[in-house]
Amino acid sequence: MNPVRVRFAPSPTGPLHIGGLRTALYNYLLARKTGGVFVLRIEDTDQKRYVEGAEAYIMEALEWCGISPDESPQKGGNYGPYRQSERREVYAEYVKKLLDNGSAYYAFDTEAELNDRREAEKAAGNHNFRYDASTRMSMRNSLSLPKAETKALLAEGTQQVIRFRIDSGNTVSFKDNVRENVSFQTEELGDQVLMKADGLPTYHLANIVDDHLMEITHVIRGEEWLPSTALHVLLYRAFGWEDTMPAFAHLPLLLNPNGKGKLSKRDGAKFGFPVFPLVWHDEAKGETAAGFREDGYLPQALVNFLAFLGWNPGTEQEIFSLSELVTAFDLERINKSGARFDIEKGKWYNQQYLIATSDEDLAPMVAAQFAAAGHEISPAKATKIAGLLKERVQLLPDFFEKGRFFVEPVTDYDEKTIRKKWKPDNRATFDQLADLLATHEDWTAAAIKSAVVAFMDANGLGFGAVLPILRVALSGSVQGPDAFEMLEAVGREETVARLRSGYDAFDAIKAGA
Ligand code: GLU
C-alpha cells in the first residue's frame, strides 16, 4: 500500500468558507491518523475569479486551527510547484497525450458560433444544447473538419480549446467511501473543455493531472464535486492511470440553521453568525464578513464543532481534542445526510473549551478583550476575572461584557431588585457596612465574607437582605460569580465607593417606583 497522501485544493476566489475548512480538517485527520501527508494545492487557473489575499487567508486559517499542511506553496515539497498557475507546461504536456491517443480534440467554435447554435436549438425547442457525442460532428473541431483544415487552422494560430471526447451509451461507475456505489451515464457529461483558449487548463484537467503526479491516494471533498467525479474517472482511464486512481470520499453538505438548503454566506448575515474562520474584508465591495476568530471562538472549539458536522465517533463522547480526533477519525463514519449548521452547538463547544482552559492560559485572551475596550489590566487581574467568569460566558468578548464592572463604575442598576429590596432605613445599615469594609485589612474573599457575616449577625440581617444590594451596588446585577470573590477583585476602595454612590441611585429608583 502506498503511503496516504491527501490534498486540500481550494481555489483562491475569496475567503475560505467554513465548509472548505471542514474539508481541510477531514483531510488533515486522515493524514495524521495514517502517518500520511497533507498537501495544500492552490487551484488558481481561473484568472477571472482570482482574488488577491485569498491564498494568504487560507494559509492563516489553517494555521490558526492547527491543521497546517505538510507540503504547500509556502513550505514546498517534492511534488511542487503547488500553485496550478505555475504548472502550465505540465498541463500542456499531458493534454497532448490525450490529443495523441484520441481522447481529446481541438475545437475552433467561437463564442459567437456557440451562442448562435444555442439560440437555434432553443428556437427548435431544445433548451439544453450540449457539445457532446451527438452534436460534435456538426461543430467545428478536429473530428468534424478535414485533417488539412485542422492543420491549417492550428498553423494560423486560430483560437481554440481542447475538449474531452466522451462517447455516449456508457455507464461510469465508481466507489465512493461515503456514497458507496455511484453511477453516471456518459450522456450526462458532455465533451468538457480541458484546455481553455487562454492556454490554461480547466479545473478538471488540472485537478486530475495534479492528483496523479502528486500521488494523491484519497480525494476528500464536498458533495458538490460528486457529479464531476464521473468525468474524472474517465480522465484517469484516458490517461491509462486507472490502477492508481485515488479513493473518493464526498462529504455531506452543510445545511443552513433551518436544515433546508445549503449554508450560505447570506445565512451568516441573516442569522448573525460567522461562516468564515477569520474576518474577511472585501475591498472591492467595501464589505466585511465576520470570522470565528474575531467573534471570540477558540480554534480548538471550532475544530471540534466542525469535526462533528458530517462525522460522528459512534459513541456519546462529544469533546475531542485535535489529537483525539486523529485517533477516532474514520472515513467509514462520515454521514451521508447533510449536516445542519447549529451555531448554538458551536457556542456550547466554545464554552466547554473555555471552562477546560486554565485561568492562566485564558488570562492573555481576557486581557486582550479588556484592552480592546480601552482597559489595561494586570495579568493577575485577568487571571482572576478568567476564573470568576469562564463558567458564565460562551465567547471571548463576553468576558468584557459580563466583567466590565471589574474596571468601570456601574451606571445601570437592576431596578427590579432595588425596588424590591431597598428599604428607606437601609441607608444607615449599609453606611455602617461601608465603614466596616473601608477599614477591613485582609482583603481576601474568605476574610471579607467572615466580616460581612459577623456584621449581618450583629444586626439581625439575613443574606437575602444584604447580598442582592451588595451585588447590585457592585456590578449592577444580582447575577454573577460569588459576591465575595467579586468584592476582592473589585478592590477595597472601589467597593466602598460603589456602595456609597449606590445609595443615591437606589433612593432615586425607589422614589421613581
Ligand atoms: N478547486 C476545487 C475547489 O475549489 C477543488 C475540488 C476538489 O477537491 O477536487 O473546491
Side-chain angles (χ1 to χ4, degrees):
M1 238 333 237
N2 289 335
V4 165
R5 290 179 55 83
V6 290
R7 87 308 193 264
F8 177 48
S11 300
T13 54
L16 178 60
H17 186 270
I18 207 72
L21 187 61
R22 182 193 59 171
T23 299
L25 173 64
Y26 286 16
N27 275 285
Y28 171 92
L29 293 177
L30 186 72
R32 286 292 162 277
K33 188 183 173 91
T34 54
V37 175
F38 174 43
V39 177
L40 172 69
R41 182 173 72 226
I42 299 294
E43 301 210 324
D44 57 350
T45 59
D46 190 345
Q47 310 228 291
K48 286 193 281 296
R49 296 182 60 216
Y50 181 82
V51 172
E52 198 63 47
E55 182 184 321
Y57 178 101
I58 293 164
M59 290 297 302
E60 194 180 343
L62 297 182
E63 207 166 296
W64 181 61
C65 289
I67 56 171
S68 294
D70 305 309
E71 296 173 16
S72 68
Q74 283 72 15
K75 263 208 167 149
N78 293 333
Y79 296 79
Y82 293 91
R83 252 180 230 112
Q84 289 187 327
S85 58
E86 295 165 16
R87 299 172 63 82
R88 282 168 185 255
E89 301 77 39
V90 177
Y91 309 121
E93 177 192 337
Y94 279 89
V95 82
K96 190 158 180 310
K97 291 184 197 289
L98 297 184
L99 287 166
D100 290 348
N101 73 15
S103 310
Y105 61 92
Y106 293 105
F108 303 100
D109 322 83
T110 62
E111 262 324 301
E113 284 168 350
L114 287 170
N115 274 338
D116 287 351
R117 176 65 186 262
R118 247 176 246 125
E119 289 307 317
E121 293 281 344
K122 235 187 245 167
N126 171 17
H127 290 267
N128 298 318
F129 167 70
R130 199 164 21 207
Y131 208 118
D132 62 14
S134 69
T135 57
R136 68 168 84 102
M137 293 315 279
S138 60
M139 307 301 288
R140 292 197 330 118
N141 55 56
S142 55
L143 298 177
S144 65
L145 299 173
K147 269 206 170 61
E149 192 174 341
T150 298
K151 228 170 154 187
L153 285 169
L154 289 175
E156 287 161 20
T158 312
Q159 252 213 3
Q160 30 88 6
V161 300
I162 297 173
R163 287 184 182 269
F164 190 31
R165 175 184 179 159
I166 298 181
D167 291 328
S168 58
N170 296 322
T171 306
V172 192
S173 302
F174 58 92
K175 192 180 162 322
D176 183 88
N177 263 279
V178 180
R179 314 256 131 210
E180 285 149 31
N181 293 318
V182 186
S183 296
F184 287 93
Q185 296 305 121
T186 47
E187 289 77 47
E188 297 166 40
L189 302 174
D191 287 357
Q192 298 281 336
V193 172
L194 298 178
M195 201 64 125
K196 294 175 285 186
D198 62 4
L200 281 169
T202 55
Y203 155 72
H204 302 296
L205 176 69
N207 191 268
I208 279 5
V209 167
D210 287 349
D211 280 350
H212 175 73
L213 296 179
M214 295 182 180
E215 296 183 17
I216 297 303
T217 56
H218 296 72
V219 167
I220 306 170
R221 62 183 169 196
E223 189 178 276
E224 63 273 26
W225 299 103
L226 191 64
S228 299
T229 309
L231 179 70
H232 298 172
V233 170
L234 291 177
L235 274 170
Y236 281 109
R237 283 187 198 155
F239 277 117
W241 296 337
E242 213 179 341
D243 292 349
T244 54
M245 192 167 78
F248 295 103
H250 287 91
L251 309 179
L253 288 179
L254 290 187
L255 304 177
N256 67 29
N258 299 328
K260 293 186 201 111
K262 207 171 144 179
L263 176 71
S264 71
K265 193 168 131 188
R266 257 168 305 141
D267 294 318
K270 183 167 142 203
F271 296 103
F273 59 73
V275 294
F276 300 114
L278 318 176
V279 75
W280 172 258
H281 304 290
D282 187 328
E283 308 286 346
K285 290 194 192 135
E287 284 170 11
T288 294
F292 276 87
R293 180 176 65 184
E294 291 70 19
D295 275 15
Y297 288 81
L298 301 180
Q300 303 87 325
L302 176 60
V303 161
N304 197 156
F305 172 48
L306 280 184
F308 272 71
L309 286 174
W311 168 87
N312 72 78
T315 64
E316 292 296 301
Q317 187 182 343
E318 288 189 283
I319 302 292
F320 282 80
S321 67
L322 190 55
S323 60
E324 286 171 323
L325 284 173
V326 166
T327 310
F329 187 73
D330 186 351
L331 280 182
E332 304 305 317
R333 297 207 63 89
I334 291 175
N335 307 333
K336 281 196 185 54
S337 49
R340 193 172 71 85
F341 192 84
D342 176 8
I343 197 66
E344 292 312 317
K345 192 74 195 190
K347 289 184 186 162
W348 177 84
Y349 268 113
N350 208 53
Q351 184 170 40
Q352 302 311 306
Y353 276 84
L354 287 175
I355 293 171
T357 306
S358 74
D359 300 351
E360 288 72 21
D361 287 348
L362 280 177
M365 297 179 240
V366 171
Q369 294 298 327
F370 278 74
H375 297 282
E376 295 305 325
I377 58 172
S378 69
K381 185 142 188 159
T383 307
K384 185 93 197 160
I385 295 174
L388 291 179
L389 293 185
K390 69 180 180 185
E391 308 255 356
R392 301 167 184 279
V393 300
Q394 287 191 306
L395 303 177
L396 288 172
D398 300 343
F399 277 107
F400 181 70
E401 281 313 312
K402 291 202 184 266
R404 60 166 68 219
F405 70 88
F406 287 114
V407 293
E408 285 177 0
V410 183
T411 48
D412 235 1
Y413 296 102
D414 168 2
E415 299 195 0
K416 218 172 125 202
T417 302
I418 295 307
R419 273 189 221 114
K420 211 161 110 195
K421 296 279 178 186
W422 184 248
K423 309 264 156 32
D425 56 352
N426 272 172
R427 203 177 175 107
T429 317
F430 278 89
D431 237 355
Q432 274 176 37
L433 179 60
D435 287 344
L436 178 108
L437 292 175
T439 55
H440 185 74
E441 282 290 322
D442 184 358
W443 201 256
T444 57
I448 303 167
K449 184 174 181 179
S450 352
V452 174
V453 169
F455 173 83
M456 291 187 324
D457 288 347
N459 291 279
L461 297 165
F463 272 97
V466 176
L467 284 192
I469 301 284
L470 206 51
R471 280 180 168 286
V472 175
L474 215 65
S475 70
S477 155
V478 274
Q479 264 138 28
D482 177 81
F484 301 104
E485 294 283 359
M486 274 167 45
L487 261 68
E488 180 189 317
V490 167
R492 179 173 33 227
E493 272 162 46
E494 184 62 20
T495 296
V496 172
R498 286 193 199 174
L499 261 178
R500 295 207 160 117
S501 59
Y503 310 154
D504 295 334
F506 298 167
D507 281 343
I509 291 168
K510 199 77 184 181

